[in-house]
Amino acid sequence: MTIQKSDYNPSGVGQLNGNIFGLPCDYESANLIVIAVPWEVTVSYGAGTANGPQRILHASVQLDLFDFDNPDGWKQGIFMMKIPQDILEKNAHYRTLAAKIITRLEQGQPLTTVPDLTSVLSDINQAGQQVNEWLFTQCQTAIQQGKLVAVIGGDHSVPLGYFQALASHYPNYGILHIDAHADLRHAYEGFEFSHASIMFNALKIPQICKLVQVGLRDISHDEVAMIDQSRDRIVGYYDPIIKQKLYAGNTWIDLCREIITHLPEYVYISFDVDGLDPKLCPNTGTPVPGGLELEQTFTLFRELVKSGRKIIGFDVCEVGDAEWDGNVGARIVYKLVNLMGLTKNEVAHNIGSRS
């Protein structure tokens, strides 16, 4: 199944063919592979994001395919691999076990209290590592074939394997992180691969030279200290300070351009939808009042591309198990796919020269 430009009508009815956006494309013909990771074992508040990939897939066929930034973006060939049901099943099993640990900790009791849960924690951490290794392999396979990759979570713990795969192809790259949370906690609640620890784990990868976080507004003292002491490896743009600047007359476009100056040539976008105003994705795992409008994030991404920087990959995580959330999530994925497609030739050349 390959795209035939002569007989495919992008203005037609979205086809329920199993592929994202209903595009007539398969793995071999696609230039960009979307990988779903339906995993939310360590979520510490609202559950349901493991079903986010399915919600996005379902909503995606309702989107019109004209994109103002890249009208022909659909032609690049976009294929979403089947949602791995084995990971979804393991998620349900380990999520039940993780809930017991979280409850124990919230009660102020050690895991060694009878029944002892220390071995359960070890099993969960091992399962998380297996998911990371699976994603690393999938991403490496696609990248080595000259393809771009996008990841859809699940909770925000899921892209770590992708970060590691990119690190084997890029000597350095930065992460532009949209989130209400800094995710800089060390093994939050004992979970080595917690959704609240993804950026802490990312910074263990030496090739990630910069982390720029935008929309932060629910953050711990230790995380603020880590940002302040990072010697500019981490740059935090806090939502209350952003709003204060906007209210004082600064323009968003100027703030976007300032944010981008901190990033290197190659940039990965990690998009946790709780970075948005919660009206946009109210069923996300940990919603927080405040946040960005969707078009604000798109403007930031446009300015990133206009600056000459290259988007080498992205993830969209924490989309809730609801129709509206899936609708918004699908639009985020499509925008990022199209913006990444604008620089795909430069990115593909860089990948090819280092493989």
Side-chain angles (χ1 to χ4, degrees):
M1 178 177 62
T2 59
I3 290 181
Q4 300 294 328
K5 297 182 181 68
S6 60
D7 57 22
Y8 177 73
N9 179 12
S11 298
V13 176
Q15 299 297 301
L16 296 174
N17 60 6
N19 190 25
I20 196 165
F21 312 117
L23 291 171
C25 191
D26 58 17
Y27 190 99
E28 287 69 26
S29 62
N31 290 306
L32 191 150
I33 304 299
V34 181
I35 304 175
V37 189
W39 187 260
E40 60 167 0
V41 168
T42 67
V43 65
S44 50
Y45 190 50
T49 61
N51 294 322
Q54 183 60 52
R55 287 291 187 176
I56 289 174
L57 176 62
H58 176 76
S60 69
V61 297
Q62 300 301 320
L63 272 63
D64 282 315
L65 296 179
F66 183 89
D67 181 82
F68 285 91
D69 297 296
N70 188 359
D72 291 332
W74 63 270
K75 293 181 180 178
Q76 65 185 294
I78 304 162
F79 178 73
M80 181 172 175
M81 296 171 59
K82 288 186 178 180
I83 299 172
Q85 293 303 302
D86 59 331
I87 290 180
L88 189 60
E89 291 170 3
K90 289 178 181 177
N91 171 78
H93 171 69
Y94 287 107
R95 172 63 197 147
T96 299
L97 298 178
K100 295 179 180 179
I101 290 175
I102 293 169
T103 298
R104 178 76 62 82
L105 295 174
E106 289 176 342
Q107 292 172 345
Q109 299 178 6
L111 297 186
T112 52
T113 301
V114 179
D116 192 321
L117 297 177
T118 52
S119 64
V120 174
L121 177 61
S122 177
D123 290 344
I124 292 171
N125 286 336
Q126 183 177 3
Q129 177 61 28
Q130 290 171 350
V131 171
N132 294 335
E133 292 171 355
W134 173 85
L135 182 60
F136 175 87
T137 299
Q138 298 300 319
C139 292
Q140 278 284 60
T141 299
I143 292 171
Q144 288 170 354
Q145 294 179 38
K147 300 179 187 294
L148 301 176
V149 175
V151 167
I152 301 176
D155 71 26
H156 208 174
S157 70
V158 302
L160 185 59
Y162 188 13
F163 296 167
Q164 293 165 338
L166 287 172
S168 66
H169 295 273
Y170 291 89
N172 64 79
Y173 69 94
I175 296 178
L176 175 57
H177 176 206
I178 307 298
D179 207 322
H181 310 90
D183 294 344
L184 291 169
R185 295 175 179 267
H186 178 204
Y188 185 58
E189 297 176 321
F191 302 120
E192 183 178 358
F193 305 109
S194 169
H195 67 103
S197 303
I198 180 61
M199 294 306 161
F200 181 92
N201 290 328
L203 292 173
K204 296 177 182 178
I205 301 172
Q207 290 86 345
I208 296 176
C209 61
K210 185 75 74 167
L211 171 62
V212 179
Q213 304 182 292
V214 182
L216 306 179
R217 57 194 186 278
D218 196 15
I219 189 166
S220 72
H221 288 79
D222 286 348
E223 288 173 306
V224 172
M226 185 174 180
I227 294 171
D228 291 344
Q229 296 166 14
S230 71
R231 297 183 179 180
D232 206 38
R233 188 183 183 197
I234 312 171
V235 180
Y237 279 85
Y238 301 100
D239 191 61
I241 297 175
I242 289 174
K243 298 291 173 52
Q244 192 73 18
K245 288 183 177 181
L246 295 177
Y247 300 153
N250 291 270
T251 68
W252 176 242
I253 201 82
D254 285 339
L255 284 174
C256 288
R257 291 166 181 167
E258 177 190 319
I259 291 166
I260 290 165
T261 62
H262 298 287
L263 289 162
E265 179 181 6
Y266 295 105
V267 180
Y268 178 99
I269 295 175
S270 192
F271 199 137
D272 184 329
V273 298
D274 70 30
L276 299 170
D277 185 308
K279 68 175 181 286
L280 292 164
C281 283
N283 297 286
T284 187
T286 314
V288 182
L292 302 170
E293 294 295 334
L294 188 58
E295 193 57 38
Q296 284 183 298
T297 66
F298 290 171
T299 297
L300 176 59
F301 302 154
R302 288 187 193 103
E303 290 301 311
L304 180 71
V305 173
K306 288 179 182 179
S307 75
R309 290 167 174 80
K310 313 300 188 302
I311 302 173
I312 62 172
F314 71 86
D315 64 75
V316 177
C317 293
E318 305 278 356
V319 171
D321 187 11
E323 183 176 354
W324 173 245
D325 299 60
N327 183 315
V328 173
R331 295 175 190 279
I332 296 170
V333 171
Y334 194 56
K335 176 58 69 179
L336 286 171
V337 159
N338 286 317
L339 289 175
M340 186 159 64
L342 290 174
T343 58
K344 67 180 180 181
N345 292 333
E346 291 89 342
V347 173
H349 174 73
N350 182 76
I351 290 173
S353 66
R354 297 185 184 280
S355 296

